Amino acid sequence: MNELSVGALNIVSLTVSLVVLVIGLVMWFFVNRASSRSNEQIELLEELLDQQKRQNALLRRLCEANEPEVVKEEPQEIKEEDAQDDDFIRLVAER
């Protein structure tokens, strides 16, 4: 009877070891998969950042090339006086 219980104990310990090994392999698989996906996402984000930097540089060049020349404007006071004169004329009824 003593030999039978030792054999059963060996089978139980072997089974527990195999279950722990399988669980460890499954966990390793999912951790490795998540790690590789995150690495791919990081590479894609770095590529997007590089493309955005190039687009910003092109946009700056286009803006600098298309800047209109500075035109001197009339002082604001004169424009405001003209606007007030126009308002007065609009209030007078035409006959």
Side-chain angles (χ1 to χ4, degrees), residues 76-87:
Q76 276 299 78
E77 296 172 2
I78 296 173
K79 288 183 178 180
E80 290 176 6
E81 290 175 4
D82 290 340
Q84 289 174 355
D85 291 341
D86 290 340
D87 290 341

Side-chain angles (χ1 to χ4, degrees), residues 20-90:
V20 169
L21 178 68
V22 168
I23 290 173
L25 287 174
V26 169
M27 288 176 55
W28 175 81
F29 171 76
F30 284 111
V31 168
N32 190 22
R33 182 175 172 212
S35 174
S36 65
R37 282 187 156 193
S38 64
N39 287 339
E40 289 174 2
Q41 288 178 350
I42 290 171
E43 288 176 8
L44 290 173
L45 288 172
E46 287 175 348
E47 186 177 333
L48 281 173
L49 179 65
D50 185 43
Q51 288 178 0
Q52 285 179 344
K53 285 180 181 179
R54 281 190 254 145
Q55 287 177 350
N56 286 343
L58 285 173
L59 186 60
R60 280 190 200 119
R61 280 191 237 147
L62 282 172
C63 289
E64 289 172 0
N66 291 333
E67 278 185 0
E69 292 183 17
V70 178
V71 178
K72 293 183 180 178
E73 297 181 12
E74 297 178 15
Q76 276 299 78
E77 296 172 2
I78 296 173
K79 288 183 178 180
E80 290 176 6
E81 290 175 4
D82 290 340
Q84 289 174 355
D85 291 341
D86 290 340
D87 290 341
F88 181 72
I89 292 174
R90 289 183 195 153

Side-chain angles (χ1 to χ4, degrees), residues 11-27:
I11 291 174
V12 169
S13 69
L14 182 63
T15 305
V16 169
S17 297
L18 287 174
V19 168
V20 169
L21 178 68
V22 168
I23 290 173
L25 287 174
V26 169
M27 288 176 55

